[in-house]
Amino acid sequence: MEFRVRPDSSRGSVLDWGAGSRRCSIGRGGIAIKQREGDGVTPAGLWPLRSAFYRADRLAMPDTALPVQALSRTDGWCDAPSDPNYNRLVSLPYEASHENLWRQDRLYDIVVMIGFNDAPVLAGKGSAIFLHIAREGYAPTEGCVGLALPDLLDVLRVATPASVVHITN
């Protein structure tokens, strides 16, 4: 299954897989070849979907063929380019810079890991590129793809370990 993310003149950006396009948010830097950590770019290219996490205290386990596990309060994602665990799941507390995956807002109630800069990991190329729940009004992300919760659940229902997201201009 290929999920395509692309600009849309009337809705900003959309994600489509042949089931009707769904509005989505992208990075504040738009879609481009990702140059560095923190550039706000959603990386153009064809990327695998790796696995999903969800907040079991807020949602039921999503129906998906992807590997899925419940988030814990100690889950984080390292975004420090000089750290050996850069662009990897880490356990908190963690000394190096990281994102906390257990968020108070609902953005990471479901988060799908996109296989960007992970095979191999290149220091400083970019980290924490996910599919996650969109902010109100589909406000820009830091480089991820944000979807309404029902749309993200629809994606997960049809996703398989062979699924890819194709991010294009």
Side-chain angles (χ1 to χ4, degrees), residues 3 12 28 32 40 51 56 61 83-84 90 101 105 116 135 137 141 151:
F3 300 94
R28 60 182 160 67
S51 61
M61 186 171 88
D83 192 84
V90 293
L101 298 181
D105 61 21
F116 172 76
R135 287 183 170 87
T141 69
D151 296 337

Side-chain angles (χ1 to χ4, degrees), residues 37 50-51 53 69 71 74-101 108 111 113-130:
E37 182 71 34
R50 299 288 191 209
S51 61
F53 292 91
Q69 70 182 57
L71 281 170
T74 61
D75 286 333
W77 200 267
C78 182
D79 58 11
S82 62
D83 192 84
N85 287 315
Y86 177 63
N87 199 29
R88 291 188 176 92
L89 183 68
V90 293
S91 185
L92 305 180
Y94 196 75
E95 282 191 30
S97 178
H98 61 273
E99 264 196 81
N100 189 340
L101 298 181
Y108 287 1
V111 61
M113 306 305 156
I114 295 176
F116 172 76
N117 192 30
D118 67 345
V121 174
L122 301 175
K125 185 70 175 174
S127 66
I129 303 296
F130 307 138

